[in-house]
Amino acid sequence: MQQGRPEQLRHPVQATPVGFFLALVCVSVLAIAQPAGQVNGEGAGGRALRRTRVNVVTSDRMLYGVNQNDVRSALKVWFETVARQRGFLLDCKVDIVESSADLKARLLEKSVDVVIPGIAEYLDLESSHLMVPILTLALNSGSASYSYVLLVNPASKVTSLAELRGKSILVSSRGGSNTALAWTDVALSREKLGRAGTFFSSIRLAPKAQACILPLFFGTVDACVVDEVNLNLAKEMNPQLSRLKVLMRSRPLVESVIATPVEPHPYRAELVDAILSLHEDVRHRQLLMVFKTDRIVRLQAGDLDPVRELWREYSHLPGAAQNRVPSMLPIAEYGNLDRGKGRN
């Protein structure tokens, strides 16, 4: 970049909602106390501890970049501490599956109480009517939606998407469904520019937003696509990044979903209410703050329409049978993956 490398440019930390979702779901279950007819030990004030259990199934795409054993260990410590404070011994089982087919199998065999899918996997299963999307993660603005943006370097003379033909681009999504890449392909299609894998000289997938933003700022790549949440966080930490130019912006999208089986569970209402009230507890508010959010909110009618429309349009692009965006890989070349691998 012509201006030179700025001093003390810090790498922003990209918060992941994955462990956060799992923690909120399992901790909230403490409030519904599904008795197993047995007490074990004593809690505060000599109260007998009752057992409660919840089965959570999440997609491995939601755990991209997270050590699964570390997640389980951290949750165990948190659960046991909070459980005893509330008078329970919690048995929270977290299963991680690899595909929407695996999620569907668990729903069909009725061995799951809470489902946390990637958005593409949820949409894959939506027509099966096996689960109901209930909750989503709200941002500090109070909204659960955010946009993806296509950025170029402030020194770039590029003013349109078409002018990026033959250029290099980095793409990062907030979740493992790779919605940013799907949006990029759809944006190119709308302008009759072909597919990303052939339009750009190179298109690489990065697991974190800063792995896109900083190379663009320093001029080692021509463009990048990131979500506006992480972009704004990066700009707060490094005001110089505000000079990056937004070439295009997606419609606001909701990508986080907490769902339950469509068949009503006796304690579903209590579980949902417990999750919705987490922000009312000081300790839980601190956890919410770590993940740059205020609360978990109910999904409203129409919230998923924009992301549903995006993925529907993506599925109708030329080569529809192969239109399964690859999983996130560390700085992976999309052009090669797009031609050979698919999502289950």
Side-chain angles (χ1 to χ4, degrees):
M1 182 175 172
Q2 295 178 351
Q3 291 90 337
R5 187 180 182 95
E7 296 181 358
Q8 297 180 336
L9 189 62
R10 294 171 294 169
H11 288 242
V13 176
Q14 182 175 9
T16 172
V18 180
F20 167 69
F21 266 147
L22 298 179
L24 292 184
V25 169
C26 291
V27 170
S28 298
V29 139
L30 298 172
I32 69 174
Q34 183 176 355
Q38 181 181 5
V39 297
N40 274 291
E42 294 183 348
R47 294 176 301 169
L49 295 176
R50 294 174 293 173
R51 284 192 177 276
T52 185
R53 177 172 182 165
V54 65
N55 294 317
V56 179
V57 175
T58 184
S59 163
D60 63 348
R61 288 181 175 246
M62 295 296 292
L63 292 173
Y64 178 77
V66 179
N67 184 294
Q68 297 179 4
N69 290 328
D70 288 348
V71 169
R72 288 190 173 100
S73 296
L75 294 178
K76 178 177 175 61
V77 173
W78 175 264
F79 300 153
E80 290 177 352
T81 301
V82 178
R84 285 188 174 273
Q85 292 174 349
R86 298 201 178 188
F88 299 105
L89 286 175
L90 176 64
D91 181 8
C92 179
K93 184 180 180 183
V94 179
D95 290 331
I96 301 166
V97 298
E98 297 180 353
S99 69
S100 55
D102 294 333
L103 286 175
K104 184 175 182 179
R106 291 295 302 270
L107 288 162
L108 286 171
E109 67 186 28
K110 300 180 181 180
S111 61
V112 56
D113 301 307
V114 179
V115 185
I116 307 176
I119 188 62
E121 289 166 325
Y122 167 75
L123 294 173
D124 270 351
L125 296 176
E126 189 173 37
S127 63
S128 70
H129 304 295
L130 291 171
M131 59 179 162
V132 180
I134 297 178
L135 306 173
T136 188
L137 178 67
L139 307 173
N140 286 337
S141 63
S143 171
S145 61
Y146 50 85
S147 297
Y148 282 99
V149 289
L150 172 60
L151 303 171
V152 294
N153 189 282
S156 173
K157 293 182 171 35
V158 171
T159 59
S160 70
L161 181 59
E163 292 176 47
L164 286 175
R165 183 181 293 278
K167 304 293 185 180
S168 59
I169 189 171
L170 284 166
V171 178
S172 179
S173 299
R174 279 185 70 81
S177 292
N178 255 321
T179 301
L181 186 53
W183 173 66
T184 303
D185 254 330
V186 168
L188 288 167
S189 175
R190 289 173 179 173
E191 297 195 19
K192 304 186 185 316
L193 295 173
R195 299 293 300 273
T198 55
F199 178 80
F200 297 102
S201 62
S202 73
I203 176 167
R204 296 184 294 162
L205 310 182
K208 295 183 178 181
Q210 62 262 37
C212 289
I213 296 170
L214 296 180
L216 176 65
F217 187 80
F218 293 126
T220 59
V221 69
D222 297 308
C224 80
V225 175
V226 296
D227 67 276
E228 220 160 13
V229 177
N230 276 300
L231 175 61
N232 290 336
L233 175 61
K235 291 193 292 189
E236 287 178 11
M237 298 183 68
N238 305 297
Q240 296 169 88
L241 296 176
S242 297
R243 299 206 300 269
L244 293 172
K245 296 191 298 187
V246 177
L247 198 63
M248 294 183 65
R249 178 179 279 104
S250 77
R251 293 176 64 187
L253 305 171
V254 172
E255 289 192 84
S256 57
V257 173
I258 298 178
T260 62
V262 67
E263 184 175 326
H265 186 283
Y267 298 97
R268 183 168 68 183
E270 290 87 345
L271 171 59
V272 171
D273 288 344
I275 296 174
L276 290 172
S277 64
L278 284 170
H279 63 282
E280 298 173 2
D281 184 283
V282 174
R283 293 163 300 180
H284 297 153
R285 281 203 302 271
Q286 291 174 344
L287 181 62
L288 291 166
M289 289 173 62
V290 169
F291 290 90
K292 308 298 181 183
T293 188
D294 288 330
R295 63 186 65 190
I296 300 297
V297 298
R298 288 184 184 275
L299 278 166
Q300 302 299 319
D303 280 354
L304 295 177
D305 286 350
V307 74
R308 185 183 291 116
E309 179 183 327
L310 170 65
W311 279 99
R312 183 184 299 118
E313 192 169 349
Y314 178 80
S315 69
H316 291 143
L317 294 181
Q322 287 76 42
N323 283 347
R324 291 295 183 265
V325 174
S327 299
M328 279 291 197
L329 296 173
I331 309 298
E333 289 286 352
Y334 167 58
N336 295 330
L337 289 170
D338 188 44
R339 293 178 178 84
K341 296 182 179 180
R343 177 172 57 81
N344 293 328

